[in-house]
Amino acid sequence: MSLPIYEIYAVKYAGPFLRPMAKVLWNTGWEKEIEINYYLWAIKGNNEILIADCGVAPTLAQQMQLQGYINPVHVLARIGIEASRVQRVVITHIHFDHANGTELFPNATFYLQEKEFNFWIKDPVAKKPPFQMLSDTIGNARLSKLEGLEKLVLINGDQGILPGIDLLFAPGHTPGLQVVAVNTAKGTAILGSDCGHIFRNYEEEIPSCFIVDMVAWMKTYDKLKSKVSSLDLLFPGHDMKMLTDFPKVAEDITRLV
Ligand SMILES: [Zn+2]
């Protein structure tokens, strides 16, 4: 039986932000700067809609004065996706820009790696400054309340969640980051989230500066490259090109594949 084919959409909800290049491309280009965006992603096909990451909810966006912020609910509506009706949301990792907005999807089941959940929600080390800088207390408290409920599915390692959609354990950037491997018309594509901030991270095998385990991260690169059908189908978490170099289907939304 052949697998269903899905399309993947990049949904920009904030940015652009100017960042030092050395932050995005570890230890490289100290004198340079680069622009990035904040995204979530929609996967559509086989009568299913799956969202990867949930962005930032308005309260935190306002508190942080996020430049160019639009409530992800309003951006998704531009392609006819009603956030309140979404049933499945994959959270790639528990950094604020990917995991704060669970409240925007009140009827969804959330898929998270157990290791990621246990670290950010339970490990006292996650309270130390380098981790707190990328974490948000309110979003994490919301996640923590889901423990034990059917709305939270904790995954251990690689697991299929729908025909043609697999979650892959991909540590390095965080202890339990997961990526989404998707069967598309061009073969297997991978939504890599912050395994790479930009395409160059994968091309040059240099990660961003936000590292919890460099050895694991390099092994993750090998793993993802062995699973993806071609390198251009391995999508990063923050590259401007996802908005500028792919067919635009609505304001702030492009079709990656
Ligand atoms: Zn990120």
Side-chain angles (χ1 to χ4, degrees):
M1 204 180 78
S2 63
L3 291 170
I5 302 270
Y6 299 88
E7 293 176 337
I8 303 177
Y9 298 85
V11 179
K12 180 217 157 199
Y13 73 89
F17 304 98
L18 204 55
R19 296 280 190 260
M21 180 63 105
K23 232 177 178 180
V24 172
L25 207 59
W26 178 73
N27 239 339
T28 305
W30 285 92
E31 69 296 349
K32 290 185 189 149
E33 288 186 309
I34 184 175
E35 282 189 320
I36 61 159
N37 281 327
Y38 286 2
Y39 299 95
L40 55 149
W41 295 269
I43 301 165
K44 284 174 80 174
N46 201 28
N47 293 318
E48 298 278 358
I49 291 173
L50 186 117
I51 301 295
D53 286 337
C54 41
V56 171
T59 316
L60 182 65
Q62 202 174 25
Q63 218 175 296
M64 295 181 74
Q65 302 203 327
L66 278 189
Q67 184 177 301
Y69 175 79
I70 302 174
N71 186 335
V73 170
H74 300 150
V75 190
L76 285 168
R78 293 174 188 164
I79 52 168
I81 297 178
E82 271 181 72
S84 61
R85 296 182 63 182
V86 166
Q87 292 185 4
R88 291 186 179 85
V89 175
V90 172
I91 297 178
T92 62
H93 63 299
I94 309 185
H95 281 166
F96 76 92
D97 52 325
H98 300 261
N100 170 263
T102 49
E103 70 183 70
L104 306 176
F105 301 93
N107 292 305
T109 296
F110 297 94
Y111 296 81
L112 243 164
Q113 288 286 328
E114 187 166 23
K115 239 187 173 161
E116 186 74 357
F117 184 85
N118 286 347
F119 177 73
W120 293 99
I121 307 301
K122 297 179 178 176
D123 193 326
V125 173
K127 299 275 184 289
K128 302 272 189 189
F131 299 107
Q132 278 305 294
M133 282 163 72
L134 297 165
S135 185
D136 87 283
T137 321
I138 296 165
N140 289 4
R142 272 198 296 266
L143 273 175
S144 145
K145 280 193 200 131
L146 299 180
E147 192 180 14
L149 303 182
E150 270 178 33
K151 280 172 70 72
L152 181 68
V153 178
L154 294 177
I155 310 267
N156 276 296
D158 300 349
Q159 194 179 306
I161 54 167
L162 285 172
I165 297 185
D166 296 325
L167 303 180
L168 306 178
F169 182 59
H173 177 60
T174 64
L177 189 146
Q178 65 184 352
V179 303
V180 193
V182 183
N183 190 51
T184 72
K186 291 184 177 173
T188 302
I190 291 181
L191 280 178
S193 186
D194 289 359
C195 270
H197 270 55
I198 56 175
F199 286 101
R200 278 183 67 188
N201 295 122
Y202 293 116
E203 291 157 10
E204 300 173 29
E205 299 207 308
I206 299 175
S208 75
C209 78
F210 304 104
I211 302 162
V212 299
D213 188 338
M214 181 70 104
V215 176
W217 203 333
M218 292 300 100
K219 289 180 180 171
T220 287
Y221 277 6
D222 288 345
K223 173 176 172 172
L224 302 191
K225 286 178 178 184
S226 76
K227 304 241 179 198
V228 76
S229 290
S230 60
L231 196 54
D232 61 329
L233 293 176
L234 179 46
F235 297 104
H238 293 277
D239 203 311
M240 295 295 287
K241 284 183 188 165
M242 281 191 286
L243 196 65
T244 55
D245 292 17
F246 292 87
K248 179 175 168 176
V249 295
E251 200 55 38
D252 299 320
I253 304 181
T254 51
R255 189 176 59 247
L256 298 178
V257 57

